[in-house]
Amino acid sequence: MFVDRARITVKSGKGGNGSVSFRREPFVPEGGPDGGDGGKGGDVIFEANNSYRTLMDFRYKRKYEAPNGEDGMKKKKYGKSGEDLIIMVPPGTVVIDEMTGLVMKDLVHHGDRVVAVKGGKGGKGNVHFKNSVRQAPNFAEAGGEARERTIILELKLIADAGLLGFPNVGKSTFLSVSTSARPKIGNYHFTTITPNLGVVNLYDSSFVLADIPGLVEGAHEGTGLGLDFLKHVERTKVLIHVVDVAGSEGRDPVEDFEKINSELEQYSPKLAKKPQIVVGNKADLLFDSRRAEEFQKYVEERGYRFFLISAVTGQGIREVLAAVLQELTRLEEEGENEEESDLVEIDFHGEDPDYREIYTYVDEEDGVFVIEGKQLSKIFNSTNFNDMESLRYLYKYIEKKGAIAELKELGLSEGDTVRIRDYEFEYSEE
């Protein structure tokens, strides 16, 4: 089964906590703090790999978690960092943040990668909090929190050439006689409901050919699953536009040709400008050769190369493939054969969520003054409430960040309640 879209949840590893430890050795009185730092939590990384073709694996597993970092240890020993979790996807996969709808990365080439969520930083051991006044700190820093994000993976096939056209014009038959691929073939519309890939071997060269399910009028607006199919055409370098030149279903070849090109233009002007080779199929059903000649003249006047073929008998197939290979060679020589992303990518890690500023506000429901912040939560989790030095360290951080001054502007006074996380305190100016 071909799967080209998936929704998964990824979670990074939590950072290990710093250690609270003191040297306990013979003949070393008052040895001082020696608590080590915690290890960093593992990142979750997406990487493009040529060994993968679809997003099938993500139908069965929807949640991915990286390992946590280990806590620090005594004797200044660091905790082990959690290993990064690397998730392999096919080249052509677009990684999208579901909450914002923004593109994190377009993984076009083998080896391209993006960090979806960063692991939490390891907490500092109590050895870092020793100073001339605080000789025996009885607290350490908590590890950074794990991050979780819902990701949309969308695959846009990367192929050298793509077959497109209306349903039932012979695209699947063309693919089957050109490659070793065996797509489903039937004499009815939408026989092909998912893209098929095959490799063409010609003159000691090869290229990847994709059979894109049939498009219909209004495809650029989603009609007939048009958007699902057009996205795969975006990645191809050369388009093979297949038209039923015999009009076997009572259709007009010129009208079909213009409608498909109109859909391409409305979906993406860049897509409409891709090199295009026009193929008049079903020559074996032609009763009047003038019909094909008129269509050929019409197409060539618009600057396209035209080939009359019969995918059933094999007539003209090799000539079309040779023309495609020639066009691919030309693009490579001109340096245009390398597919590059034109999507706008957003750096989601420009600001580390662990170190945002403090936020203050009044909870109107119960009149409590609230202080929030990622780094504040981290320090709060590290606080030893039975140790005055640890409490003083927490208060100094809050005061230094201006939270007390902001709360006073909001009306904070002696005896009012201040909430940090799920804990409430009575404010005193003593």
Side-chain angles (χ1 to χ4, degrees):
M1 180 184 293
F2 183 85
V3 179
D4 60 359
R5 187 177 175 85
R7 178 181 181 272
I8 63 174
T9 301
V10 295
K11 185 177 181 180
S12 65
K14 178 187 178 298
N17 297 323
S19 170
V20 177
S21 173
F22 297 90
R23 293 182 66 182
R24 295 288 187 268
E25 299 175 33
F27 314 113
V28 185
E30 300 179 359
D34 70 348
D37 298 348
K40 175 185 174 297
D43 299 339
V44 178
I45 301 170
F46 288 97
E47 180 176 320
N49 189 296
N50 286 335
S51 300
Y52 295 80
R53 289 285 177 257
T54 78
L55 301 176
M56 170 67 79
D57 293 347
F58 302 105
R59 286 175 60 91
Y60 306 106
K61 185 176 181 181
R62 303 290 181 88
K63 189 173 180 66
Y64 296 80
E65 294 186 21
N68 295 331
E70 293 183 356
D71 293 343
M73 295 167 279
K74 60 183 179 180
K75 296 185 179 179
K76 301 180 183 179
K77 291 181 180 179
Y78 286 76
K80 182 180 178 182
S81 294
E83 292 186 6
D84 293 338
L85 174 62
I86 300 177
I87 303 174
M88 298 297 184
V89 295
T93 300
V94 182
V95 182
I96 303 169
D97 174 57
E98 184 187 55
M99 185 173 70
T100 62
L102 299 175
V103 174
M104 300 184 72
K105 185 72 176 179
D106 191 359
L107 304 173
V108 178
H109 309 112
H110 175 79
D112 284 355
R113 46 166 49 193
V114 62
V115 178
V117 279
K118 286 187 175 182
K121 293 184 177 180
K124 295 178 180 179
N126 67 335
V127 69
H128 293 280
F129 298 96
K130 178 182 176 181
N131 56 35
S132 59
V133 176
R134 189 191 304 123
Q135 293 290 317
N138 199 28
F139 62 96
E141 188 178 44
E145 294 295 325
R147 289 106 170 183
E148 189 168 332
R149 177 171 280 142
T150 301
I151 297 292
I152 300 297
L153 299 175
E154 188 172 279
L155 174 61
K156 298 181 179 182
L157 283 179
I158 296 179
D160 297 302
L163 294 160
L164 76 156
F166 271 88
N168 210 31
V169 296
K171 300 186 299 299
S172 296
T173 305
F174 186 101
L175 180 71
S176 68
V177 299
S178 304
T179 72
S180 59
R182 293 293 174 263
K184 183 178 180 181
I185 299 173
N187 188 28
Y188 54 90
H189 288 194
F190 297 108
T191 312
T192 303
I193 58 175
T194 59
N196 293 302
L197 288 176
V199 178
V200 175
N201 293 299
L202 188 71
Y203 306 137
D204 296 326
S205 297
S206 64
F207 61 87
V208 179
L209 179 62
D211 171 21
I212 309 299
L215 300 175
V216 296
E217 192 171 7
H220 71 282
E221 297 176 336
T223 304
L225 298 178
L227 293 178
D228 290 340
F229 299 157
L230 279 166
K231 70 184 179 186
H232 294 299
V233 187
E234 282 186 284
R235 298 294 198 193
T236 59
K237 301 174 180 70
V238 177
L239 303 177
I240 305 174
H241 191 160
V242 184
V243 179
D244 178 2
V245 75
S248 59
E249 298 186 348
R251 307 183 65 90
D252 180 4
V254 172
E255 185 177 336
D256 285 359
F257 175 77
E258 291 298 339
K259 282 182 178 178
I260 292 295
N261 279 327
S262 175
E263 293 302 321
L264 297 180
E265 178 68 38
Q266 292 180 77
Y267 178 75
S268 167
K270 179 183 175 182
L271 180 58
K273 293 177 182 177
K274 285 182 179 287
Q276 188 174 139
I277 294 173
V278 183
V279 173
N281 191 26
K282 302 191 179 182
D284 53 306
L285 299 180
L286 270 173
F287 295 106
D288 186 352
S289 61
R290 288 178 299 178
R291 184 184 184 94
E293 292 169 359
E294 290 174 359
F295 181 63
Q296 178 175 356
K297 181 181 179 182
Y298 177 85
V299 167
E300 290 179 344
E301 285 178 349
R302 281 152 182 75
Y304 298 101
R305 296 181 68 180
F306 176 83
F307 294 86
L308 182 65
I309 72 162
S310 170
V312 172
T313 66
Q315 172 192 338
I317 295 291
R318 193 172 182 83
E319 288 77 6
V320 174
L321 298 178
V324 173
L325 183 59
Q326 182 183 18
E327 189 64 31
L328 290 171
T329 302
R330 181 189 67 80
L331 291 173
E332 185 172 7
E333 290 174 350
E334 295 177 1
E336 299 178 14
N337 212 17
E338 191 72 17
E339 184 66 33
E340 296 294 342
S341 172
D342 58 358
L343 298 176
V344 177
E345 299 172 350
I346 305 298
D347 179 9
F348 278 69
H349 308 299
E351 177 187 7
D352 190 333
D354 265 355
Y355 294 91
R356 292 175 185 164
E357 295 301 316
I358 280 181
Y359 303 100
T360 59
Y361 62 93
V362 179
D363 187 333
E364 300 293 345
E365 189 172 327
D366 50 18
V368 173
F369 293 83
V370 182
I371 310 176
E372 291 182 354
K374 288 283 185 179
Q375 177 67 356
L376 171 63
S377 295
K378 186 175 178 180
I379 294 175
F380 191 81
N381 290 338
S382 310
T383 301
N384 180 354
F385 290 95
N386 295 318
D387 183 79
M388 187 56 65
E389 289 292 340
S390 182
L391 287 170
R392 188 175 290 114
Y393 182 82
L394 171 65
Y395 181 81
K396 282 185 176 180
Y397 173 81
I398 294 173
E399 187 178 43
K400 180 179 178 181
K401 292 298 180 181
I404 301 300
E406 289 181 13
L407 290 178
K408 287 183 175 180
E409 289 181 5
L410 293 173
L412 178 69
S413 57
E414 182 85 20
D416 286 340
T417 301
V418 177
R419 180 190 299 151
I420 302 176
R421 292 175 65 89
D422 296 328
Y423 297 84
E424 294 185 350
F425 309 88
E426 183 177 301
Y427 175 68
S428 172
E429 297 186 354
E430 293 182 1

